[in-house]
Amino acid sequence: MHKLLPDQLVWMWLRKLLMLVELFALANTSSHTHSCPSVCICASDLLSCVNQSLQQVPAVLPPTVVILDISHNNLCLLHNNWLSALPRLLDLRISHNQIKNLSAKALHNATQLKHLDLSSNHLETIKKHFFEQLVSLEELLLYNNNIMHVDGHAFTHLSSIRKIYLSCNLLTSFSFSSMQNFSHPHLRTLDLSSNNFSLIPTEEVMALPAYLKNGLYLHNNPLTCDCSLYNMFLHWADCGFSSVEDFKEDHTCLVLGKPRAFVKVLNRHNNFENCPLTNGVFSELHLRVLVGKSLIIPCNSSLHEESINYVWISSRYEFIKYPGNNNQSLKIHSNGSLEIKEAQPWNSGIYLCIAINKRLNHNTTYEVNVTVHYPKYEGEPFKTGLTTLLGCVVSLILVLMYLYLTPCCCCNCRKKSATPSPPYECSAKSSILSTTPPATDGPNRKTSSNKHVVFLEPIKEVQNGKIKQVDPNAKNPKVLQPKPDSESISSVFSDLPIMSL
């Protein structure tokens, strides 16, 4: 028998090893293929079981699934720990089913889940244990259910949540105070529209951070009209919050709670003209600082107890805590004030101070609008007010020159002005301007020569030795006839010194 060389033995063992690896891969692939439910579609990391009239979730699911879609079925119950076989699951869609309740551990073992869609089901209550294990969840869809109550701690463990949709339900109240602490630092959208809210706790809502109020949707609710509600929405509109700007016409309220007497809250021509504008929680401090200078912003909180912790949220949504702050340009002092060192233009924006009293489990917020600007140059042009004043002075001088320094057109003006004109002479050169108003009645009425206001004397004509008023609407009005008495003035400026050319 021919002996194999050592090199040949090595190659033979390598070929056998490769064959074993191939057989193992084929077996593993076949097992994955058989684990895909027959009523579903498996494509890479996607498993779709949409609209298959399923009454329960398939027992065997491929462990490589990242996106699982079992919407539009007849599911009524989700078993405990059914997600333990899907360690890579990121997206779970269970909308349009018949789910009324969730068991204690129905969503356990889904610590990597980021998107959960439970919309269009029959959920009635959101309990505390529903989402306790979903620490990585970012988007939660619960709209179009029959939810009447949400536990105040239902979202406490959702530390990564960004969006919560609760619209089109039957909610009459909501624990806004549970959103005031830092358990939801990334929450930007809270949709509570189209529910049954009749009253909104404005003090709790206004204590929320500004970035959350920007995405707090409360439209299409049967709210009862009051001044606090009007002031809150008006303040949001002035701040340009998206929750108001996107649905401005849908923010309505009911006068005295009557369904037929509803008004648009943000319409300027409504029934809120007599509401006083409050200065409490709706006020906002506006500070200005030059580029490169330092600014200290006080935290004017209503809490003055000793056990107070201060946290600031910068205009760039950075959390600044005391003590221990990594941002070298922002520093919190022991009294809660925030110092901006060497301010730059990107430091402009709204800063939010939150004072937390852990002993009383209470907190308040305070907003400050900071503007960082460059210094103005000294060579600044004239201001508008100074320019307008200068123009008025020049105009006044020109008017005085026109009234008092108008030159005479003839050399013998003074002599002619002393001689009264013939009583009935019709002269085109006679002026129709007089320094006095036209005489009304009485021949003995004397004119005042110290008046310099020009009046237009009405045109008169003489008929049968009497002066007759000429109709101004006549087609061919005649030229004004001068007065025959010696007190008439033939020129507008005859009482002033005449300057001959």
Side-chain angles (χ1 to χ4, degrees):
M1 185 175 178
H2 181 68
K3 292 184 178 181
L4 295 176
L5 298 176
D7 293 341
Q8 293 177 342
L9 289 173
V10 172
W11 283 110
M12 183 179 67
W13 283 108
L14 287 176
R15 283 196 298 268
K16 290 181 179 181
L17 182 61
L18 290 175
M19 290 176 62
L20 291 175
V21 171
E22 291 179 0
L23 290 175
F24 178 78
L26 289 174
N28 193 22
T29 304
S30 62
S31 65
H32 284 180
T33 304
H34 292 298
S35 66
C36 183
S38 59
V39 294
C40 303
I41 299 176
C42 296
S44 183
D45 56 359
L46 170 64
L47 176 61
S48 177
C49 307
V50 178
N51 199 16
Q52 296 297 323
S53 300
L54 297 176
Q55 294 184 354
Q56 60 182 3
V57 179
V60 181
L61 299 174
T64 57
V65 171
V66 175
I67 302 175
L68 175 59
D69 191 350
I70 50 178
S71 58
H72 295 274
N73 283 290
N74 297 323
L75 301 177
C76 298
L77 181 64
L78 298 176
H79 298 288
N80 290 336
N81 299 317
W82 70 283
L83 295 175
S84 59
L86 306 175
R88 300 174 56 188
L89 186 64
L90 298 179
D91 193 335
L92 177 58
R93 304 173 187 179
I94 324 177
S95 62
H96 295 275
N97 279 281
Q98 308 297 322
I99 300 175
K100 293 184 178 180
N101 194 9
L102 295 177
S103 58
K105 297 182 179 180
L107 297 176
H108 276 218
N109 307 110
T111 56
Q112 303 299 321
L113 191 65
K114 294 185 178 298
H115 177 92
L116 175 60
D117 187 357
L118 282 168
S119 62
S120 300
N121 278 277
H122 298 284
L123 293 171
E124 297 179 354
T125 303
I126 302 300
K127 299 179 180 179
K128 178 182 177 180
H129 66 267
F130 281 6
F131 314 117
E132 283 183 342
Q133 299 294 318
L134 307 182
V135 293
S136 300
L137 191 66
E138 296 180 358
E139 191 171 22
L140 177 60
L141 280 64
L142 296 170
Y143 61 86
N144 196 26
N145 277 275
N146 299 323
I147 302 173
M148 294 182 290
H149 175 71
V150 176
D151 190 274
H153 301 282
F155 308 126
T156 302
H157 299 279
L158 302 181
S159 57
S160 301
I161 195 68
R162 294 180 178 273
K163 300 178 181 179
I164 300 177
Y165 297 91
L166 280 163
S167 60
C168 300
N169 279 288
L170 304 176
L171 291 172
T172 58
S173 62
F174 186 83
S175 178
F176 293 99
S177 58
S178 63
M179 300 290 179
Q180 294 178 1
N181 50 31
F182 292 99
S183 59
H184 312 92
H186 306 289
L187 184 60
R188 296 296 180 270
T189 300
L190 178 58
D191 189 359
L192 296 173
S193 62
S194 302
N195 277 276
N196 289 337
F197 289 97
S198 60
L199 296 175
I200 295 293
T202 53
E203 292 186 1
E204 289 186 12
V205 173
M206 289 303 298
L208 295 174
Y211 59 80
L212 181 54
K213 289 184 289 187
N214 181 64
L216 177 57
Y217 294 88
L218 297 171
H219 59 278
N220 286 337
N221 276 289
L223 300 172
T224 302
C225 298
D226 58 52
C227 290
S228 61
L229 181 72
Y230 169 68
N231 284 327
M232 183 182 72
F233 284 140
L234 185 63
H235 176 70
W236 290 8
D238 294 338
C239 292
F241 288 163
S242 300
S243 55
V244 172
E245 294 295 330
D246 295 345
F247 299 94
K248 183 174 294 185
E249 297 297 323
D250 297 322
H251 282 78
T252 59
C253 64
L254 307 181
V255 179
L256 301 179
K258 297 181 179 180
R260 295 185 178 181
F262 71 94
V263 295
K264 295 182 179 180
V265 180
L266 297 176
N267 190 348
R268 300 292 179 176
H269 303 285
N270 49 31
N271 296 330
F272 297 102
E273 290 85 356
N274 296 326
C275 285
L277 295 179
T278 59
N279 296 322
V281 295
F282 305 105
S283 63
E284 182 179 282
L285 182 63
H286 193 176
L287 300 178
R288 296 172 61 88
V289 61
L290 291 175
V291 174
K293 300 294 183 180
S294 297
L295 175 67
I296 296 180
I297 310 173
C299 183
N300 295 334
S301 171
S302 59
L303 301 179
H304 298 288
E305 290 82 359
E306 295 181 357
S307 56
I308 298 296
N309 291 335
Y310 295 96
V311 178
W312 281 84
I313 301 178
S314 70
S315 59
R316 306 175 72 177
Y317 301 112
E318 297 176 339
F319 285 82
I320 305 102
K321 299 181 181 180
Y322 174 83
N325 178 33
N326 296 326
N327 194 331
Q328 300 299 326
S329 61
L330 301 176
K331 177 183 177 181
I332 297 182
H333 296 275
S334 58
N335 60 356
S337 59
L338 176 68
E339 181 181 1
I340 303 178
K341 300 179 180 179
E342 298 181 358
Q344 299 299 323
W346 53 81
N347 293 127
S348 298
I350 295 179
Y351 288 75
L352 184 70
C353 174
I354 303 180
I356 305 172
N357 186 339
K358 293 184 178 181
R359 182 170 58 86
L360 300 177
N361 194 19
H362 183 67
N363 62 75
T364 60
T365 61
Y366 181 70
E367 294 181 7
V368 181
N369 192 357
V370 176
T371 301
V372 182
H373 62 94
Y374 289 93
K376 295 183 179 180
Y377 295 102
E378 296 182 356
E380 192 177 15
F382 286 121
K383 296 183 179 179
T384 305
L386 182 60
T387 306
T388 305
L389 179 61
L390 182 60
C392 293
V393 172
V394 173
S395 301
L396 181 61
I397 294 175
L398 292 177
V399 170
L400 293 176
M401 290 178 62
Y402 174 77
L403 291 177
Y404 292 98
L405 300 179
T406 304
C408 183
C409 297
C410 57
C411 297
N412 299 323
C413 288
R414 182 177 296 275
K415 295 181 180 180
K416 291 184 178 182
S417 62
T419 305
S421 302
Y424 308 116
E425 180 184 1
C426 179
S427 173
K429 297 181 180 180
S430 300
S431 173
I432 63 173
L433 298 178
S434 174
T435 58
T436 58
T440 54
D441 49 11
N444 296 327
R445 178 171 179 172
K446 295 184 179 181
T447 61
S448 176
S449 59
N450 58 353
K451 303 292 184 180
H452 298 285
V453 181
V454 179
F455 290 89
L456 180 63
E457 188 175 349
I459 301 175
K460 301 178 181 179
E461 65 177 356
V462 179
Q463 183 178 358
N464 297 329
K466 296 182 180 181
I467 299 177
K468 180 181 179 182
Q469 184 79 26
V470 178
D471 186 3
N473 298 323
K475 294 183 179 180
N476 298 318
K478 295 185 179 180
V479 181
L480 175 67
Q481 299 292 336
K483 296 182 181 180
D485 56 339
S486 61
E487 294 177 354
S488 64
I489 303 175
S490 59
S491 177
V492 178
F493 310 104
S494 60
D495 57 340
L496 300 175
I498 305 300
M499 297 179 63
S500 0
L501 301 177

